[in-house]
Amino acid sequence: MIDLTVDVEQYDCPFVAATDDHPVAFSAVHWEYDTAADRTETRMVVEAADRESLDAGLSVLRGHEGTADYQLLSRRNDVAHIRTVIGQTDAMRIIREEDGFITGPSFIEDGSELWRIGFDDRETEEEVLSRLDRNHEFDVVKRNAPDLPELTDFVQNVGAAMTLIEGCRDLSDVERKTLESAIDGGYFQSPRSATLGSLADEFDVSKPAVSKNLRRGQRKMIERVVNALDELEG
């Protein structure tokens, strides 16, 4: 198996059009391709520079001719969770016709899209890239051809990786920002560059409050790490 990370400009993609016009970014949470209808259903997290940019980007997406269906699932300030159904783009058609397949979630920003594309052999890879080169601008950011033991190890340990990711999502905004500042400031180094006092001043809270946020964040992450270790051993 060959795995490529490709940065491609899809001129007919609704998401690319939205990010080309406005400072928004789309991260795929889930996608499912309907072979009968040649459409892809996606659930995306949308992040924008501000509320106005989010409104403008979503407006472009809703009104694009390639968008067959759009639903706003939730929204908070300049971040939204959406469901869409989009028609098959030219690049996706080429990949599917040549028996390529998507191996990871996409990320769209600044008018281009990061894709992870898989191929069974080198000939298929070369044919897809050759056809894409005729009508699309793209760069191969990374190429990886794992051997079977590496691939097996990756598949078997996906559960452990997801456990760690879920631990990050469990953190509140305050806990995450406090941990990030503590790490960046050298709180966990010896000797310490940051102290509870400096962190309390940074967040304009008391020392007990910042200590409580640190302990909560550390406990959540350590519990997930222990669970992930158990999964790896299993």
Side-chain angles (χ1 to χ4, degrees), residues 36-91:
D38 285 335
R39 291 180 174 180
T40 302
E41 178 179 338
T42 68
R43 282 168 176 78
M44 293 273 193
V45 172
V46 193
E47 299 177 272
D50 48 55
R51 293 177 62 92
E52 292 73 21
S53 298
L54 182 61
D55 289 336
L58 293 180
S59 178
V60 171
L61 176 65
R62 287 195 305 271
H64 195 279
E65 62 181 2
T67 301
D69 192 22
Y70 167 90
Q71 181 183 2
L72 178 64
L73 300 176
S74 63
R75 173 172 176 164
R76 182 177 180 183
N77 298 324
D78 54 4
V79 179
H81 183 204
I82 64 173
R83 171 191 170 274
T84 65
V85 178
I86 65 170
Q88 180 174 246
T89 63
D90 181 66

Coordinates of all heavy atoms in Angstrom, one line a residue, residues 36-91:
A36 N -23.8 5.2 -5.8 CA -24.9 5.2 -6.7 C -25.2 6.6 -7.2 O -25.5 6.9 -8.3 CB -26.2 4.6 -6.0
A37 N -25.1 7.6 -6.3 CA -25.4 9.0 -6.6 C -24.2 9.8 -6.9 O -24.3 11.0 -7.3 CB -26.2 9.6 -5.4
D38 N -23.0 9.3 -6.7 CA -21.8 10.0 -6.9 C -21.8 11.3 -6.1 O -21.4 12.4 -6.5 CB -21.6 10.4 -8.4 CG -21.1 9.2 -9.2 OD1 -20.6 8.3 -8.7 OD2 -21.4 9.2 -10.5
R39 N -22.1 11.1 -4.8 CA -22.1 12.2 -3.8 C -21.4 11.8 -2.6 O -21.3 10.6 -2.2 CB -23.5 12.6 -3.5 CG -24.3 13.3 -4.7 CD -25.7 13.7 -4.3 NE -26.3 14.5 -5.3 CZ -27.6 14.9 -5.2 NH1 -28.3 14.7 -4.1 NH2 -28.1 15.6 -6.2
T40 N -20.9 12.8 -1.8 CA -20.2 12.5 -0.6 C -20.9 13.2 0.5 O -21.1 14.5 0.5 CB -18.7 13.0 -0.6 OG1 -18.1 12.3 -1.7 CG2 -18.0 12.7 0.7
E41 N -21.3 12.5 1.6 CA -21.9 13.1 2.8 C -20.8 13.3 3.8 O -20.0 12.4 4.0 CB -23.0 12.2 3.4 CG -23.6 12.8 4.6 CD -24.7 11.9 5.2 OE1 -25.2 11.1 4.5 OE2 -24.9 12.1 6.5
T42 N -20.7 14.5 4.3 CA -19.6 14.9 5.2 C -20.2 15.5 6.5 O -21.2 16.2 6.4 CB -18.6 15.8 4.6 OG1 -19.2 17.1 4.4 CG2 -18.0 15.3 3.3
R43 N -19.4 15.4 7.5 CA -19.7 16.2 8.7 C -18.4 16.9 9.0 O -17.3 16.3 9.1 CB -20.1 15.4 9.9 CG -21.6 15.0 9.8 CD -22.0 13.9 10.8 NE -23.4 13.6 10.7 CZ -24.0 12.9 9.8 NH1 -23.3 12.3 8.8 NH2 -25.3 12.7 9.8
M44 N -18.4 18.2 9.1 CA -17.2 19.1 9.1 C -17.3 20.0 10.4 O -18.3 20.5 10.8 CB -17.1 20.0 7.9 CG -16.9 19.2 6.6 SD -15.1 19.0 6.4 CE -15.1 18.5 4.7
V45 N -16.1 20.2 10.9 CA -15.9 21.3 11.9 C -15.4 22.5 11.1 O -14.4 22.4 10.4 CB -14.9 20.9 13.0 CG1 -14.6 22.1 13.9 CG2 -15.5 19.8 13.9
V46 N -16.0 23.7 11.3 CA -15.6 24.9 10.5 C -15.1 25.9 11.6 O -15.8 26.2 12.5 CB -16.8 25.5 9.8 CG1 -16.4 26.5 8.8 CG2 -17.6 24.4 9.1
E47 N -13.9 26.4 11.3 CA -13.3 27.4 12.2 C -13.0 28.6 11.3 O -12.6 28.5 10.2 CB -12.0 26.9 12.8 CG -12.2 25.7 13.7 CD -10.9 25.1 14.2 OE1 -10.3 24.3 13.5 OE2 -10.5 25.6 15.3
A48 N -13.3 29.8 11.9 CA -13.2 31.0 11.2 C -12.4 32.1 12.0 O -12.2 31.9 13.3 CB -14.5 31.6 10.8
A49 N -12.0 33.1 11.4 CA -11.2 34.2 12.1 C -12.1 34.9 13.0 O -11.7 35.4 14.1 CB -10.6 35.1 11.1
D50 N -13.4 35.0 12.7 CA -14.4 35.7 13.5 C -15.8 35.3 13.1 O -16.0 34.5 12.1 CB -14.3 37.2 13.4 CG -14.1 37.7 12.0 OD1 -15.0 37.4 11.2 OD2 -13.2 38.4 11.7
R51 N -16.8 35.8 13.8 CA -18.2 35.4 13.5 C -18.6 35.8 12.1 O -19.3 35.1 11.4 CB -19.2 36.0 14.5 CG -19.0 35.5 15.9 CD -19.9 36.2 16.9 NE -21.3 36.0 16.5 CZ -22.1 35.1 17.0 NH1 -21.5 34.2 17.9 NH2 -23.3 35.0 16.7
E52 N -18.2 37.0 11.7 CA -18.6 37.5 10.3 C -18.0 36.6 9.2 O -18.6 36.3 8.2 CB -18.1 39.0 10.2 CG -18.9 40.0 11.1 CD -18.5 39.9 12.5 OE1 -17.4 39.3 12.8 OE2 -19.3 40.3 13.4
S53 N -16.7 36.2 9.4 CA -16.1 35.4 8.4 C -16.8 34.0 8.4 O -16.9 33.4 7.3 CB -14.6 35.2 8.8 OG -13.9 36.4 8.7
L54 N -17.2 33.5 9.5 CA -17.9 32.2 9.5 C -19.2 32.3 8.7 O -19.5 31.4 7.9 CB -18.2 31.8 11.0 CG -18.9 30.4 11.1 CD1 -18.1 29.3 10.5 CD2 -19.2 30.2 12.6
D55 N -20.0 33.4 9.0 CA -21.2 33.6 8.3 C -21.0 33.7 6.8 O -21.7 33.0 6.0 CB -21.9 34.9 8.7 CG -22.4 34.8 10.1 OD1 -22.7 33.7 10.6 OD2 -22.6 35.9 10.8
A56 N -19.9 34.4 6.3 CA -19.7 34.6 4.9 C -19.2 33.3 4.3 O -19.6 32.9 3.2 CB -18.6 35.7 4.7
G57 N -18.3 32.5 5.0 CA -17.8 31.3 4.4 C -19.0 30.2 4.3 O -19.1 29.5 3.2
L58 N -19.8 30.1 5.3 CA -20.9 29.2 5.2 C -21.9 29.6 4.1 O -22.6 28.8 3.5 CB -21.6 29.1 6.6 CG -20.8 28.5 7.7 CD1 -21.6 28.4 9.0 CD2 -20.3 27.1 7.3
S59 N -22.1 30.9 3.9 CA -23.0 31.4 2.8 C -22.5 30.9 1.5 O -23.3 30.5 0.6 CB -23.1 32.9 2.9 OG -23.9 33.4 1.9
V60 N -21.1 31.1 1.2 CA -20.6 30.6 0.0 C -20.8 29.1 -0.2 O -21.2 28.6 -1.3 CB -19.0 30.9 -0.1 CG1 -18.4 30.3 -1.3 CG2 -18.8 32.4 -0.1
L61 N -20.6 28.3 0.9 CA -20.8 26.9 0.8 C -22.2 26.5 0.5 O -22.5 25.7 -0.4 CB -20.4 26.3 2.2 CG -20.6 24.8 2.3 CD1 -19.7 24.0 1.3 CD2 -20.3 24.3 3.7
R62 N -23.2 27.2 1.2 CA -24.6 26.9 0.9 C -25.0 27.2 -0.5 O -25.8 26.4 -1.1 CB -25.5 27.7 1.9 CG -25.5 27.2 3.3 CD -26.6 27.8 4.1 NE -26.6 29.3 4.0 CZ -26.0 30.1 4.8 NH1 -25.3 29.6 5.8 NH2 -26.1 31.4 4.7
G63 N -24.5 28.3 -1.1 CA -24.9 28.7 -2.4 C -24.1 28.1 -3.5 O -24.4 28.4 -4.7
H64 N -23.1 27.3 -3.2 CA -22.3 26.7 -4.3 C -23.1 25.7 -5.1 O -23.8 24.9 -4.5 CB -21.0 26.1 -3.7 CG -19.9 25.8 -4.7 ND1 -19.9 24.7 -5.5 CD2 -18.8 26.5 -5.1 CE1 -18.9 24.7 -6.3 NE2 -18.2 25.8 -6.0
E65 N -22.9 25.6 -6.4 CA -23.6 24.7 -7.2 C -23.2 23.2 -7.0 O -24.0 22.3 -7.3 CB -23.3 25.0 -8.7 CG -21.8 24.8 -9.1 CD -21.6 25.2 -10.6 OE1 -22.6 25.6 -11.2 OE2 -20.5 25.0 -11.0
G66 N -22.1 23.0 -6.3 CA -21.7 21.6 -6.0 C -22.3 21.1 -4.7 O -22.1 20.0 -4.4
T67 N -22.9 22.0 -3.9 CA -23.5 21.6 -2.7 C -25.0 21.2 -2.9 O -25.8 22.0 -3.2 CB -23.5 22.8 -1.7 OG1 -22.1 23.2 -1.5 CG2 -24.1 22.4 -0.3
A68 N -25.2 19.9 -2.6 CA -26.6 19.3 -2.8 C -27.4 19.5 -1.6 O -28.6 19.6 -1.7 CB -26.5 17.8 -3.2
D69 N -26.8 19.5 -0.4 CA -27.5 19.6 0.8 C -26.6 20.2 1.9 O -25.4 20.0 1.9 CB -28.0 18.2 1.3 CG -29.1 18.3 2.4 OD1 -29.7 19.4 2.6 OD2 -29.2 17.4 3.2
Y70 N -27.2 21.0 2.8 CA -26.4 21.6 3.9 C -27.3 21.7 5.1 O -28.5 22.0 5.0 CB -26.0 23.1 3.4 CG -25.5 23.9 4.5 CD1 -24.2 24.0 4.8 CD2 -26.4 24.7 5.3 CE1 -23.7 24.8 5.9 CE2 -25.9 25.5 6.3 CZ -24.6 25.5 6.6 OH -24.1 26.3 7.6
Q71 N -26.7 21.4 6.3 CA -27.4 21.5 7.5 C -26.4 22.0 8.6 O -25.3 21.4 8.8 CB -27.9 20.2 7.9 CG -28.7 20.2 9.3 CD -29.2 18.8 9.6 OE1 -29.0 17.8 9.0 NE2 -29.9 18.7 10.7
L72 N -26.8 23.1 9.3 CA -26.0 23.5 10.5 C -26.4 22.7 11.7 O -27.5 22.8 12.2 CB -26.2 25.0 10.7 CG -25.5 25.7 11.9 CD1 -24.0 25.6 11.7 CD2 -26.0 27.1 12.1
L73 N -25.5 21.9 12.2 CA -25.8 21.1 13.4 C -25.6 21.8 14.7 O -26.4 21.6 15.6 CB -24.8 19.9 13.3 CG -25.0 19.0 12.1 CD1 -23.9 17.8 12.1 CD2 -26.4 18.4 12.0
S74 N -24.5 22.6 14.8 CA -24.3 23.4 16.0 C -23.4 24.5 15.7 O -22.6 24.5 14.7 CB -23.8 22.6 17.1 OG -22.5 22.0 16.8
R75 N -23.4 25.5 16.5 CA -22.5 26.7 16.3 C -22.2 27.3 17.7 O -23.1 27.5 18.5 CB -23.1 27.7 15.4 CG -22.4 29.0 15.3 CD -22.9 29.9 14.2 NE -22.2 31.1 14.2 CZ -22.2 32.0 13.2 NH1 -22.9 31.8 12.1 NH2 -21.5 33.1 13.2
R76 N -20.9 27.8 17.8 CA -20.6 28.6 19.0 C -19.5 29.6 18.6 O -18.4 29.2 18.2 CB -20.0 27.6 20.1 CG -19.6 28.4 21.3 CD -19.1 27.4 22.4 NE -18.7 28.0 23.6 CZ -18.2 27.4 24.7 NH1 -18.1 26.1 24.7 NH2 -17.9 28.1 25.8
N77 N -19.9 30.8 18.6 CA -19.1 32.0 18.2 C -18.5 31.8 16.8 O -19.3 31.8 15.8 CB -17.9 32.2 19.2 CG -18.4 32.5 20.6 OD1 -19.4 33.2 20.7 ND2 -17.8 32.0 21.6
D78 N -17.2 31.5 16.6 CA -16.6 31.4 15.3 C -16.3 30.0 14.9 O -15.5 29.7 14.0 CB -15.4 32.3 15.2 CG -14.4 32.0 16.3 OD1 -14.6 31.0 17.1 OD2 -13.3 32.6 16.3
V79 N -17.0 29.0 15.5 CA -16.8 27.6 15.2 C -18.2 27.0 15.0 O -19.1 27.2 15.7 CB -16.1 26.9 16.4 CG1 -15.9 25.4 16.0 CG2 -14.7 27.5 16.6
A80 N -18.3 26.1 13.9 CA -19.6 25.5 13.6 C -19.3 24.0 13.3 O -18.2 23.6 12.9 CB -20.2 26.2 12.5
H81 N -20.4 23.2 13.5 CA -20.4 21.8 13.1 C -21.5 21.7 12.0 O -22.7 22.0 12.3 CB -20.7 20.9 14.3 CG -20.6 19.5 14.0 ND1 -21.3 18.6 14.8 CD2 -20.0 18.8 13.1 CE1 -21.1 17.3 14.3 NE2 -20.3 17.4 13.3
I82 N -21.1 21.2 10.9 CA -22.1 21.1 9.8 C -22.2 19.8 9.1 O -21.2 19.0 9.3 CB -21.8 22.2 8.7 CG1 -20.4 21.8 8.0 CG2 -21.8 23.6 9.2 CD1 -20.1 22.7 6.8
R83 N -23.3 19.5 8.5 CA -23.4 18.3 7.6 C -23.7 18.8 6.2 O -24.5 19.7 6.0 CB -24.6 17.4 8.1 CG -25.0 16.3 7.2 CD -26.3 15.6 7.6 NE -26.7 14.7 6.6 CZ -27.4 15.0 5.5 NH1 -27.8 16.3 5.3 NH2 -27.8 14.1 4.6
T84 N -23.0 18.2 5.3 CA -23.2 18.5 3.9 C -23.3 17.3 3.0 O -22.8 16.2 3.3 CB -22.1 19.4 3.4 OG1 -20.8 18.6 3.3 CG2 -21.9 20.7 4.2
V85 N -23.9 17.5 1.8 CA -23.8 16.5 0.8 C -23.3 17.2 -0.5 O -23.9 18.2 -0.9 CB -25.2 15.8 0.5 CG1 -25.1 14.9 -0.7 CG2 -25.7 15.1 1.7
I86 N -22.2 16.8 -1.0 CA -21.6 17.5 -2.2 C -21.5 16.5 -3.3 O -21.3 15.3 -3.1 CB -20.3 18.2 -1.9 CG1 -19.2 17.1 -1.6 CG2 -20.4 19.2 -0.7 CD1 -17.8 17.7 -1.5
G87 N -21.6 17.1 -4.5 CA -21.4 16.3 -5.7 C -20.0 15.9 -5.9 O -19.1 16.4 -5.3
Q88 N -19.8 14.9 -6.8 CA -18.4 14.4 -7.0 C -17.6 15.4 -7.8 O -18.0 16.0 -8.8 CB -18.5 13.1 -7.9 CG -17.1 12.5 -8.2 CD -17.2 11.2 -8.9 OE1 -16.9 10.2 -8.3 NE2 -17.8 11.2 -10.1
T89 N -16.4 15.8 -7.2 CA -15.5 16.7 -7.9 C -14.7 15.9 -8.9 O -14.6 14.7 -8.9 CB -14.6 17.3 -6.9 OG1 -13.7 16.3 -6.3 CG2 -15.3 18.1 -5.8
D90 N -14.1 16.7 -9.8 CA -13.3 16.1 -10.9 C -12.1 15.3 -10.3 O -11.8 14.2 -10.8 CB -12.8 17.2 -11.8 CG -12.0 16.6 -13.0 OD1 -12.5 15.9 -13.8 OD2 -10.7 16.8 -13.0
A91 N -11.5 15.8 -9.3 CA -10.3 15.1 -8.7 C -10.8 13.8 -8.0 O -10.1 12.8 -8.1 CB -9.6 16.0 -7.7

